mmCIF file of all heavy atoms in Angstrom:
data_model
loop_
_atom_site.group_PDB
_atom_site.id
_atom_site.type_symbol
_atom_site.label_atom_id
_atom_site.label_comp_id
_atom_site.label_asym_id
_atom_site.label_seq_id
_atom_site.Cartn_x
_atom_site.Cartn_y
_atom_site.Cartn_z
ATOM 1 N N LEU K 26 8.741 -18.241 15.135
ATOM 2 C CA LEU K 26 9.359 -18.927 13.989
ATOM 3 C C LEU K 26 10.402 -19.876 14.492
ATOM 4 O O LEU K 26 11.240 -19.554 15.337
ATOM 5 C CB LEU K 26 10.065 -17.814 13.113
ATOM 6 C CG LEU K 26 9.130 -16.913 12.228
ATOM 7 C CD1 LEU K 26 8.440 -15.915 13.021
ATOM 8 C CD2 LEU K 26 9.955 -16.354 11.050
ATOM 9 N N VAL K 110 6.867 -14.617 4.866
ATOM 10 C CA VAL K 110 6.695 -15.918 5.395
ATOM 11 C C VAL K 110 5.712 -15.894 6.560
ATOM 12 O O VAL K 110 4.806 -16.784 6.647
ATOM 13 C CB VAL K 110 8.079 -16.443 5.874
ATOM 14 C CG1 VAL K 110 7.893 -17.693 6.805
ATOM 15 C CG2 VAL K 110 8.928 -16.858 4.688
ATOM 16 N N ASP K 121 8.888 -23.921 10.831
ATOM 17 C CA ASP K 121 7.452 -23.703 11.247
ATOM 18 C C ASP K 121 7.242 -22.319 11.696
ATOM 19 O O ASP K 121 8.097 -21.677 12.208
ATOM 20 C CB ASP K 121 7.101 -24.653 12.385
ATOM 21 C CG ASP K 121 7.261 -26.105 11.972
ATOM 22 O OD1 ASP K 121 6.469 -26.586 11.149
ATOM 23 O OD2 ASP K 121 8.172 -26.800 12.526
ATOM 24 N N PHE K 160 -13.872 -3.821 0.984
ATOM 25 C CA PHE K 160 -13.664 -5.021 0.129
ATOM 26 C C PHE K 160 -13.557 -6.335 0.848
ATOM 27 O O PHE K 160 -14.035 -7.434 0.510
ATOM 28 C CB PHE K 160 -12.387 -4.784 -0.810
ATOM 29 C CG PHE K 160 -12.148 -5.852 -1.764
ATOM 30 C CD1 PHE K 160 -12.898 -5.944 -2.926
ATOM 31 C CD2 PHE K 160 -11.182 -6.833 -1.550
ATOM 32 C CE1 PHE K 160 -12.691 -6.910 -3.859
ATOM 33 C CE2 PHE K 160 -10.899 -7.810 -2.459
ATOM 34 C CZ PHE K 160 -11.651 -7.936 -3.606
ATOM 35 N N LEU K 191 -12.838 9.001 2.276
ATOM 36 C CA LEU K 191 -13.581 7.847 2.007
ATOM 37 C C LEU K 191 -14.236 7.891 0.608
ATOM 38 O O LEU K 191 -14.418 6.836 -0.047
ATOM 39 C CB LEU K 191 -14.605 7.426 3.055
ATOM 40 C CG LEU K 191 -14.034 7.065 4.381
ATOM 41 C CD1 LEU K 191 -15.134 6.772 5.346
ATOM 42 C CD2 LEU K 191 -13.064 5.865 4.284
ATOM 43 N N THR K 197 -6.623 10.387 -6.617
ATOM 44 C CA THR K 197 -6.764 11.811 -6.286
ATOM 45 C C THR K 197 -6.220 12.156 -4.860
ATOM 46 O O THR K 197 -6.312 13.206 -4.515
ATOM 47 C CB THR K 197 -8.286 12.162 -6.259
ATOM 48 O OG1 THR K 197 -8.930 11.437 -5.193
ATOM 49 C CG2 THR K 197 -8.932 11.741 -7.569
ATOM 50 N N VAL K 238 4.015 9.194 13.871
ATOM 51 C CA VAL K 238 3.364 9.458 15.112
ATOM 52 C C VAL K 238 1.964 8.808 15.103
ATOM 53 O O VAL K 238 1.519 8.300 16.221
ATOM 54 C CB VAL K 238 3.277 10.952 15.353
ATOM 55 C CG1 VAL K 238 2.375 11.330 16.542
ATOM 56 C CG2 VAL K 238 4.616 11.619 15.532
ATOM 57 N N GLN K 284 19.458 -1.449 24.679
ATOM 58 C CA GLN K 284 20.310 -2.575 25.037
ATOM 59 C C GLN K 284 21.192 -3.091 23.894
ATOM 60 O O GLN K 284 22.342 -3.361 24.112
ATOM 61 C CB GLN K 284 19.454 -3.805 25.454
ATOM 62 C CG GLN K 284 20.170 -5.068 25.770
ATOM 63 C CD GLN K 284 19.283 -6.214 26.030
ATOM 64 O OE1 GLN K 284 18.156 -6.066 26.503
ATOM 65 N NE2 GLN K 284 19.782 -7.431 25.808
ATOM 66 N N GLU K 288 25.030 -2.985 24.506
ATOM 67 C CA GLU K 288 25.640 -4.270 24.597
ATOM 68 C C GLU K 288 25.520 -5.045 23.264
ATOM 69 O O GLU K 288 24.827 -6.031 23.126
ATOM 70 C CB GLU K 288 24.928 -5.129 25.661
ATOM 71 C CG GLU K 288 25.074 -4.468 27.049
ATOM 72 C CD GLU K 288 24.161 -5.214 28.073
ATOM 73 O OE1 GLU K 288 23.674 -6.308 27.806
ATOM 74 O OE2 GLU K 288 23.975 -4.708 29.204
ATOM 75 N N PRO K 301 25.576 8.788 14.135
ATOM 76 C CA PRO K 301 26.386 7.890 13.362
ATOM 77 C C PRO K 301 26.663 6.581 14.104
ATOM 78 O O PRO K 301 26.577 6.532 15.396
ATOM 79 C CB PRO K 301 27.667 8.659 13.128
ATOM 80 C CG PRO K 301 27.795 9.459 14.405
ATOM 81 C CD PRO K 301 26.413 9.883 14.729
ATOM 82 N N VAL K 350 36.901 15.540 21.325
ATOM 83 C CA VAL K 350 37.965 16.362 20.631
ATOM 84 C C VAL K 350 38.597 17.209 21.674
ATOM 85 O O VAL K 350 37.891 17.977 22.395
ATOM 86 C CB VAL K 350 37.321 17.234 19.469
ATOM 87 C CG1 VAL K 350 38.399 18.050 18.860
ATOM 88 C CG2 VAL K 350 36.692 16.258 18.458
ATOM 89 N N GLN K 362 36.739 20.773 31.325
ATOM 90 C CA GLN K 362 36.420 19.517 31.941
ATOM 91 C C GLN K 362 37.712 18.682 31.938
ATOM 92 O O GLN K 362 38.449 18.728 31.008
ATOM 93 C CB GLN K 362 35.347 18.789 31.235
ATOM 94 C CG GLN K 362 33.994 19.533 31.239
ATOM 95 C CD GLN K 362 33.474 19.658 32.630
ATOM 96 O OE1 GLN K 362 33.547 18.712 33.406
ATOM 97 N NE2 GLN K 362 32.864 20.818 33.000
ATOM 98 N N GLN K 386 28.657 19.278 17.072
ATOM 99 C CA GLN K 386 29.208 19.030 15.726
ATOM 100 C C GLN K 386 29.935 17.685 15.706
ATOM 101 O O GLN K 386 30.515 17.290 16.752
ATOM 102 C CB GLN K 386 30.129 20.113 15.284
ATOM 103 C CG GLN K 386 31.377 20.329 16.179
ATOM 104 C CD GLN K 386 32.184 21.553 15.769
ATOM 105 O OE1 GLN K 386 32.044 22.054 14.622
ATOM 106 N NE2 GLN K 386 33.070 22.011 16.576
ATOM 107 N N SER K 396 39.982 6.007 9.972
ATOM 108 C CA SER K 396 39.013 7.094 10.005
ATOM 109 C C SER K 396 38.003 6.872 11.199
ATOM 110 O O SER K 396 37.696 5.781 11.385
ATOM 111 C CB SER K 396 38.230 7.179 8.660
ATOM 112 O OG SER K 396 39.100 7.547 7.619
ATOM 113 N N ALA K 399 34.057 11.942 16.040
ATOM 114 C CA ALA K 399 33.912 12.339 17.465
ATOM 115 C C ALA K 399 32.910 13.468 17.486
ATOM 116 O O ALA K 399 32.831 14.269 16.563
ATOM 117 C CB ALA K 399 35.171 12.715 18.061
ATOM 118 N N GLU K 430 33.917 -11.575 14.790
ATOM 119 C CA GLU K 430 33.215 -10.417 15.106
ATOM 120 C C GLU K 430 32.525 -10.449 16.477
ATOM 121 O O GLU K 430 31.797 -9.433 16.795
ATOM 122 C CB GLU K 430 32.240 -10.069 13.984
ATOM 123 C CG GLU K 430 32.874 -9.861 12.606
ATOM 124 C CD GLU K 430 31.829 -9.331 11.616
ATOM 125 O OE1 GLU K 430 30.608 -9.199 11.958
ATOM 126 O OE2 GLU K 430 32.220 -9.135 10.512
#
Side-chain angles (χ1 to χ4, degrees):
L26 283 76
V110 166
D121 298 292
F160 185 76
L191 294 179
T197 68
V238 171
Q284 178 185 334
E288 302 172 7
V350 178
Q362 299 293 320
Q386 58 186 345
S396 294
E430 297 190 358

